Amino acid sequence: MADPYTPTPPPVPGHRHRPGTSFAAVNGAAFALHLLLACSAPGLLATRVAGETTLGLPVLLLQVLLLLWTAVRYDR
């Protein structure tokens, strides 16, 4: 059984893990998709889904949830 206080070995040279890259890539892609939809098909996001709620609101809420989920993952 290994000693629980044994220090971890140093990272392998040449391998740099940058967690911010995946955070920026995922949220940047979601933002780009939302912007592309808003610019190329404005009528699509204006489609009513329930009462006065348009499709743009749930799409925006999904984007916010994605941002929060990736922020929690990034913070760990």
Side-chain angles (χ1 to χ4, degrees):
M1 185 164 141
D3 183 20
Y5 300 105
T6 304
T8 58
V12 178
H15 177 20
R16 301 174 74 192
H17 178 67
R18 295 178 13 189
T21 305
S22 63
F23 176 81
V26 168
N27 287 295
F31 177 74
L33 178 66
H34 196 158
L35 189 64
L36 182 69
L37 279 175
C39 292
S40 64
L44 178 67
L45 293 178
T47 305
R48 293 189 189 277
V49 287
E52 294 293 316
T53 304
T54 62
L55 188 59
L57 182 64
V59 170
L60 183 61
L61 290 176
L62 284 173
Q63 186 177 349
V64 168
L65 287 174
L66 177 68
L67 175 67
L68 292 174
W69 179 69
T70 54
V72 168
R73 277 191 57 222
Y74 176 74
D75 196 34
R76 288 184 184 186

